[in-house]
Amino acid sequence: MTDIGAMIRESFGRGDDIRDAGLTTPEDVVRFDNLVYGSDPAWQALDVYRPRSAAGETLPVIVSVHGGGWVYGDKERYQFYCMSLAQRGFAVVNFTYRLAPEFQYPAPLEDTNLVFGWILRHADQYGLDTNRLFAVGDSAGGNILGLYAAFCTNPAYAARFSFQPYPSVKLRAVGLFCGDYEIDPAQNPDALSTQIMQVYLPERGSPRELEEMSVFHWITPDYPPVFLTTAVDDFLKDHAQSLAACLIRHDIPFQFHFYGSKDTRLGHVFHLDLRSPEGQRCNDETCAFFRNYL
């Protein structure tokens, strides 16, 4: 374990423990846990959450790509957030993906693709509507999902990888929250994400790798509609503004929500805090946006 990875895992883990202390599985949610979607059950496992009231129904699907700076996180850290989305009428797939430094780019992108393949194969078993697929991702997960949406819609980007998208996977819309959409060491040599790239990218941040990591670079007019958020004290809020401009240039439908105020100082990935009224409002508005594309 590298120093940066160990520091992030300890620091982020402590904060997540505080955020989720006392939370339990809601009675109105049915969960299916620890389903293996790849060849490595320790890393490639997922949960499926469904509203209990929808037994027997085929539901639209939200896939959650967790954050954690490419070195931290798993489905357990996102279970309560994802179950709250399930309470809003969706089947939610919450998965763990391979992290740096144990694994390097493009492992999380490949794992995201494997999850969608798993959904296609197990749709009947878990009541998943493969014609109504959505996804959410925050922080580093916003980068991964932003790139995955490009992977599915831009053949030039997909051609760079040894694995390929499933032709039948059509994302109706995505939610990108407080994301890190472009890594630019020249502008931010001391940024945490720049340091992480030293262990995440095999070439430690070559021009080719940084180009591939830029969501902006791969968006085309075929990109799915986006629910885009940031907050007043999100340290990545400039990325959201830049992504909004990119979406406008390519005529991509989107909503841009800026949460918080001078009196309500919401920070990075505030929507994961289920005790926060603003977080709950963000999650309500995310699902309302998705319903526009059912």
Side-chain angles (χ1 to χ4, degrees):
M1 173 65 64
T2 62
D3 290 343
I4 188 72
M7 181 272 290
I8 289 174
R9 290 183 185 182
E10 194 279 330
S11 174
F12 286 17
R14 185 170 60 249
D16 287 353
D17 286 342
I18 294 170
R19 181 195 67 205
D20 293 341
L23 296 180
T24 58
T25 297
E27 292 184 359
D28 58 352
V29 171
V30 177
R31 56 187 298 166
F32 305 89
D33 294 342
N34 301 317
L35 307 171
V36 178
Y37 67 85
S39 60
D40 187 339
W43 288 92
Q44 296 170 318
L46 60 81
D47 299 343
V48 177
Y49 314 129
R50 293 175 50 91
R52 190 175 295 276
S53 61
E57 294 182 36
T58 300
L59 296 177
V61 180
I62 298 176
V63 175
S64 171
V65 186
H66 71 75
W70 301 274
V71 300
Y72 165 81
D74 53 34
K75 60 187 179 64
E76 279 65 43
R77 295 297 190 182
Y78 275 63
Q79 60 179 316
F80 301 112
Y81 163 66
C82 287
M83 285 188 286
S84 78
L85 297 180
Q87 289 177 303
R88 291 166 165 88
F90 293 82
V92 181
V93 177
N94 170 29
F95 71 102
T96 295
Y97 55 81
R98 290 171 291 169
L99 299 172
E102 290 89 345
F103 301 92
Q104 291 183 302
Y105 170 85
L109 190 65
E110 182 177 19
D111 287 355
T112 303
N113 196 46
L114 288 172
V115 167
F116 279 95
W118 183 94
I119 290 170
L120 296 177
R121 295 192 302 275
H122 296 86
D124 292 342
Q125 185 176 358
Y126 296 99
L128 310 176
D129 189 341
T130 59
N131 291 315
R132 295 186 293 172
L133 297 173
F134 302 88
V136 293
D138 60 73
S139 197
N143 174 274
I144 295 163
L145 176 57
L147 293 175
Y148 185 72
F151 176 77
C152 291
T153 55
N154 184 341
Y157 185 58
R160 290 180 168 236
F161 301 97
S162 60
F163 52 96
Q164 289 299 294
Y166 296 91
S168 59
V169 169
K170 307 292 184 185
L171 289 169
R172 293 284 186 101
V174 298
L176 300 176
F177 311 128
C178 304
D180 199 346
Y181 306 117
E182 184 169 58
I183 315 301
D184 189 349
Q187 289 191 12
N188 298 290
D190 298 322
L192 185 61
S193 57
T194 299
Q195 299 175 54
I196 293 169
M197 291 306 107
Q198 298 295 305
V199 298
Y200 178 55
L201 298 177
E203 299 167 14
R204 300 170 62 86
S206 68
R208 177 191 64 80
E209 289 175 327
L210 294 176
E211 181 181 69
E212 288 184 6
M213 286 284 291
S214 169
V215 176
F216 306 138
H217 192 80
W218 303 105
I219 289 176
T220 71
D222 294 323
Y223 205 77
V226 177
F227 186 84
L228 177 64
T229 79
T230 188
V232 62
D233 282 343
D234 175 20
F235 64 90
L236 292 174
K237 63 184 178 183
D238 290 347
H239 284 240
Q241 297 177 69
S242 298
L243 183 57
C246 183
L247 295 172
I248 289 171
R249 287 196 300 273
H250 291 282
D251 298 327
I252 307 301
F254 74 100
Q255 289 183 11
F256 185 8
H257 289 241
F258 182 74
Y259 291 92
S261 67
K262 63 182 178 62
D263 299 316
T264 306
R265 307 304 300 187
L266 299 178
H268 190 61
V269 299
F270 71 94
H271 63 289
L272 300 179
D273 183 358
L274 300 187
R275 297 183 176 91
S276 162
E278 294 83 2
Q280 292 285 6
R281 179 165 65 89
C282 176
N283 300 337
D284 284 338
E285 291 172 347
T286 301
C287 291
F289 179 80
F290 286 171
R291 290 189 193 98
N292 293 329
Y293 296 94
L294 288 175

